[in-house]
Amino acid sequence: MAEITLVEAINLALSHELQRDESVVVLGQDVGRDGGVFRSTLGLVDKFGPERVIDTPLAEGMIAGMAIGMAVEGIRAVAEIQFSGFAYTCIDQILNHAGRMRYRTRGRMSCPMVLRTPCGGGIHAPEHHSESPEAMFAHTPGIRVVYPSSPKSAYGLLLAAIRDPDPVVFLEPTRLYRLFKEDVTDDGAALPLDTCFTLREGTDVTLVTWGGMVHETLQAADTLAEEGYAAEVLDVATLKPYDLETILASVQRTGRCVVVSEAPKTAGFASEIAAAVGEHGLLYLMAPVGRVTGYDSVMPLARLEKQYMPSAERIADAARLAIGWSG
């Protein structure tokens, strides 16, 4: 067991799968000699060689297309897109080909590929480097969307994503890459996909979130605890398909729900969860479902980034509003 960062956990999982399964390859711009833009693939080319850790040109659509072609020929391709804002040029390949392969071939072929990309704001990056496109990918049929929130979950969920027989978009919270460390055992144990994780138990309000916002949501739960309120914190982890059963069971216990996301508010994934809780858990609710999100704006540059991102204070305020709701 070693205490490592999230980006080191990604590297560890990739190394484990490259060692365990000879059909696994890693590809993307700078993933070989440079070890990736955030060094998540550092040293892998020295261990496994340039035929399995493949440097590509700066052409994201081509990277996604190569991964799909490899996958349908039996190679488990793990493609890296340097920032999620550049993943938009992969949409044609992901939506029209990867997501439809099983359906189009009547189940004769699958597409076991992973598209990895750093995601979200908080690192004062320029435009196109801090996008939150999870709702767009989650809306794409045939695609599984996974979004870890810690070194442990990044290691276990990436193993599961690589072993999955169908395409996975694996979003990595950029600002958590080196924010904290956890003990991670390199034992090859995958975490379950399509499962929501309860990070903190509580009885007064359910806080539902994923990815980088897990950090601020846990901070808000600490603040609420000092005031005598017990917030239950759920990490959705897999956004498509997501574990609504666990969310509803929590809301049934607490009677209140606040969904937290740094993506723009309109038609975001927070809206999907809020609608589902309203549709299936209306009789559990003692207050309207709250949403704490980013704004319907491009992620601003460094000086305004903190005003855009949901803070622990905004999350705690929304939780207090739900707890104190009198109808």
Side-chain angles (χ1 to χ4, degrees):
M1 183 178 293
E3 194 170 76
I4 59 176
T5 63
L6 194 152
V7 74
E8 291 170 332
I10 296 289
N11 183 281
L12 196 63
L14 291 171
S15 180
H16 188 99
E17 285 306 279
L18 283 162
Q19 182 68 45
R20 187 189 70 84
D21 183 350
E22 291 187 353
S23 71
V24 174
V25 303
V26 172
L27 69 153
Q29 185 194 13
D30 297 334
V31 299
R33 185 174 57 186
D34 289 344
V37 63
F38 286 99
R39 305 297 179 260
S40 59
T41 56
L42 191 65
L44 296 181
V45 72
D46 298 325
K47 291 182 184 176
F48 302 101
E51 292 187 351
R52 298 188 64 202
V53 182
I54 305 166
D55 274 321
T56 70
L58 177 57
E60 287 82 3
M62 179 273 292
I63 294 170
M66 281 181 62
I68 293 166
M70 290 177 174
V72 298
E73 292 297 327
I75 299 171
R76 288 186 179 266
V78 185
E80 178 179 298
I81 303 299
Q82 290 197 341
F83 292 90
S84 55
F86 304 144
Y88 299 133
T89 58
C90 304
I91 291 300
D92 174 45
Q93 297 288 353
I94 297 299
L95 192 154
N96 286 323
H97 302 290
R100 297 170 187 240
M101 192 62 67
R102 185 177 289 279
Y103 178 86
R104 174 179 291 157
T105 62
R106 309 295 189 267
R108 293 191 299 274
M109 299 173 70
S110 62
C111 188
M113 61 164 284
V114 177
L115 187 82
R116 295 180 41 243
T117 186
C119 190
I123 62 167
H124 294 179
E127 190 182 2
H128 299 305
H129 293 66
S130 302
E131 311 290 307
S132 296
E134 59 264 37
M136 182 183 66
F137 286 117
H139 193 67
T140 302
I143 301 295
R144 181 171 267 106
V145 181
V146 179
Y147 205 161
S149 64
S150 70
K152 283 184 179 176
S153 66
Y155 176 81
L157 291 172
L158 184 53
L159 293 180
I162 296 172
R163 296 169 188 174
D164 194 86
D166 290 300
V168 177
V169 172
F170 195 85
L171 303 172
E172 300 168 5
T174 315
R175 70 177 180 283
L176 301 191
Y177 265 155
R178 294 180 173 84
L179 187 64
F180 65 97
K181 294 183 176 182
E182 278 185 340
D183 284 328
V184 177
T185 302
D186 185 20
D187 56 3
L191 287 173
L193 299 174
D194 315 337
T195 298
C196 192
F197 299 106
T198 302
L199 302 183
R200 181 173 181 144
E201 295 185 348
T203 55
D204 293 317
V205 61
T206 298
L207 304 179
V208 183
T209 190
W210 53 89
M213 291 315 302
V214 167
H215 183 68
E216 285 79 5
T217 304
L218 287 171
Q219 288 180 332
D222 286 340
T223 299
L224 293 166
E226 292 172 0
E227 300 169 9
Y229 302 123
E232 186 147 296
V233 178
L234 304 183
D235 177 4
V236 179
T238 302
L239 275 67
K240 175 74 176 296
Y242 69 101
D243 178 10
L244 180 60
E245 184 178 348
T246 295
I247 295 171
L248 289 174
S250 176
V251 174
Q252 187 174 17
R253 289 192 296 274
T254 67
R256 301 165 180 89
C257 181
V258 174
V259 191
V260 183
S261 164
E262 66 185 83
K265 187 171 190 175
T266 301
F269 201 74
S271 301
E272 160 60 31
I273 292 179
V277 170
E279 183 177 8
H280 299 285
L282 181 63
L283 298 182
Y284 306 149
L285 291 169
M286 292 184 282
V289 179
R291 288 178 291 165
V292 183
T293 70
Y295 299 100
D296 292 338
S297 160
V298 173
M299 171 72 79
L301 301 181
R303 291 181 65 183
L304 289 175
E305 195 177 44
K306 281 190 175 179
Q307 279 64 48
Y308 175 95
M309 302 281 289
S311 64
E313 289 76 17
R314 281 177 60 194
I315 299 166
D317 285 346
R320 292 188 196 99
L321 183 65
I323 293 169
W325 183 265
S326 59

